[in-house]
Amino acid sequence: MTVAVSVLRSSRISRLIGICGLMAATTGCQRDAQIAAKSPVPVRLADVTLYASSEGLRYSASLIPFAQVDVAFRTTGYVTEVKQVKSADGRIRNIGTGDYVTKGTVLAHIRRQDLKNQADESSAQVDAAVAQHTQAEQDFNRAKALYATQSLTKPDYDQAQARFDSTFAVVNQAKAAQRQAQLSLSDSELEAPLSGYILVRNVDVGTLASPSSAAFTIADTSAVKAAFGVPEDALNLVHAGQLLTLQLQNDAARYSGHVTSISPSADARSRVFTIEVTLSNSRNTLRPGMIASVQLGGKREASQPSVPLSAIVPYPGESGQFAVVVAEQQAGQWKAHVRRVTVGATHSSSVSVSGVRAGEKVAAIGAQLLEEGDSLSVIP
């Protein structure tokens, strides 16, 4: 009995020692965590300043031709000739990219004999149709005379009239085919529909041209259009007929043009409205593909709070939302407070935000490592 009691007491003592050890370990971990949590996080602070832009809203515009057209043959055929021009080195070559052409210039020919054969065939079909119709007309006139004297039955008279009508329709159809063949014959020469520069040439002698593929692409650059997109909130800054000034990259000259087109709907992907400004290009200094900057509006709304770009961090737990970490002194110790903000326009290395006040301090370096309530160690 005494031995059993001793064993029981030893077991209880062992369990008690284990529990005490677990509590000690847990207490130690919590104490370590508290010590680690209280360790100040080194950060560099920046003041929230007020920013007032002296410029309007600026956008990048791409220059495009005033008019651009793909020129193709009306019928299928083999190219037998391409217009020849003299190159800068004196050699004769096919007209091509960069060459200027005037309206009506013959750019290329397709084999004419094939089209002439079609025209001759259609003429022969017209002659045959006319002959049949002439015979049907004579038969119908006799049928009318006989029917008037009751020497011809009504079914025979109706048959003569039906043949007359059908041959007349065949004549009209044959003549339409003849006109189409003559038109195709005249289209064996491909003419420039407008004056401008050749952007692309897709044919050479021996190429099988067809209406489905463009032989040349011509652009009228006597004027150009500057196309750019603006968001909905800036749409009220532009209107049709408005005079805008554009400046090319690496060019100190300024060019003026009028707004000639405003898209009635926003692009499905970018959600911006396309604006087109037409500019005169009599000196041919503006080339399609160039990039220009355009300014809209006057001064922005005055004095908006501004913080360094590095101070902007994702708002915890909400995708697409932003925040800054505001540093406040409490009992002589800097504390971190995460505050949601709305991001505005950027300028240099700063960005305008709403949700903070001028004079407040935000974490500019080290903000990504901070959580609400963290102690801060300010780096000079």
Side-chain angles (χ1 to χ4, degrees):
M1 183 67 176
T2 303
V3 175
V5 172
S6 299
V7 172
L8 180 60
R9 287 179 179 176
S10 298
S11 176
R12 289 179 178 176
I13 291 173
S14 299
R15 292 173 58 189
L16 182 58
I17 292 174
I19 293 173
C20 291
L22 179 61
M23 293 177 60
T26 305
T27 304
C29 292
Q30 292 177 348
R31 185 174 302 167
D32 292 341
Q34 290 173 357
I35 292 174
K38 291 180 180 179
S39 298
V41 180
V43 296
R44 180 167 293 167
L45 301 182
D47 292 328
V48 178
T49 59
L50 292 177
Y51 175 81
S53 173
S54 59
E55 297 182 349
L57 301 172
R58 301 192 71 86
Y59 297 93
S60 292
S62 177
L63 300 188
I64 59 177
F66 180 76
Q68 180 173 318
V69 60
D70 292 332
V71 186
F73 286 97
R74 283 175 51 87
T75 187
T76 300
Y78 286 98
V79 176
T80 57
E81 183 182 346
V82 177
K83 180 176 174 58
Q84 301 291 291
V85 295
K86 182 179 291 187
S87 62
D89 59 3
R91 293 183 301 174
I92 301 300
R93 59 173 176 81
N94 292 340
I95 196 170
T97 302
D99 293 326
Y100 185 83
V101 295
T102 57
K103 182 179 180 180
T105 300
V106 177
L107 303 174
H109 298 258
I110 58 174
R111 191 162 62 193
R112 183 179 176 84
Q113 189 59 47
D114 296 337
L115 302 178
K116 190 175 185 306
N117 292 340
Q118 295 176 9
D120 292 342
E121 183 180 355
S122 65
S123 296
Q125 291 175 349
V126 170
D127 294 340
V130 169
Q132 291 179 359
H133 179 64
T134 300
Q135 182 63 45
E137 184 178 17
Q138 294 173 355
D139 294 342
F140 182 52
N141 289 334
R142 284 194 297 269
K144 285 193 293 185
L146 293 173
Y147 185 69
T149 60
Q150 297 182 352
S151 300
L152 188 69
T153 63
K154 185 66 166 60
D156 291 336
Y157 172 80
D158 292 341
Q159 184 178 4
Q161 184 177 14
R163 185 169 182 272
F164 171 79
D165 293 338
S166 64
T167 56
F168 181 72
V170 171
V171 169
N172 289 336
Q173 183 178 6
K175 288 182 176 181
Q178 183 187 38
R179 289 192 295 269
Q180 183 63 41
Q182 291 293 339
L183 182 61
S184 297
L185 181 61
S186 65
D187 286 337
S188 62
E189 298 180 345
L190 185 64
E191 297 182 356
L194 50 80
S195 297
Y197 287 91
I198 295 178
L199 300 184
V200 179
R201 174 173 62 86
N202 295 319
V203 295
D204 284 297
V205 174
T207 301
L208 180 60
S210 69
S212 61
S213 60
F216 295 86
T217 300
I218 303 176
D220 176 9
T221 57
S222 59
V224 296
K225 294 184 285 188
F228 62 98
V230 300
E232 181 182 356
D233 57 358
L235 198 59
N236 62 331
L237 299 177
V238 62
H239 59 270
Q242 180 180 358
L243 183 66
L244 294 179
T245 301
L246 294 89
Q247 185 173 6
L248 298 177
Q249 293 179 346
N250 303 321
D251 187 352
R254 295 180 178 273
Y255 303 87
S256 297
H258 290 88
V259 176
T260 52
S261 175
I262 301 176
S263 176
S265 61
D267 183 86
R269 294 185 178 181
S270 62
R271 307 308 303 169
V272 298
F273 295 81
T274 300
I275 310 296
E276 289 185 356
V277 179
T278 300
L279 304 94
S280 175
N281 191 29
S282 57
R283 297 183 180 180
N284 199 38
T285 54
L286 303 175
R287 303 294 181 90
M290 286 183 171
I291 302 298
S293 62
V294 58
Q295 178 175 316
L296 294 181
K299 292 185 177 180
R300 291 182 182 172
E301 297 181 1
S303 302
Q304 297 181 358
S306 177
V307 300
L309 285 170
S310 58
I312 302 298
V313 296
Y315 189 77
E318 294 189 22
S319 176
Q321 300 298 315
F322 300 97
V324 296
V325 178
V326 178
E328 297 180 355
Q329 276 193 321
Q330 299 176 2
Q333 176 65 48
W334 289 101
K335 293 289 186 179
H337 297 285
V338 180
R339 188 181 301 176
R340 185 202 302 264
V341 295
T342 300
V343 176
T346 59
H347 37 85
S348 185
S349 60
S350 300
V351 60
S352 298
V353 296
S354 59
V356 293
R357 300 184 304 275
E360 290 186 307
K361 294 185 180 294
V362 296
I365 297 179
Q368 296 86 350
L369 305 176
L370 297 175
E371 297 180 355
E372 178 68 28
D374 281 350
S375 296
L376 307 179
S377 174
V378 178
I379 302 174

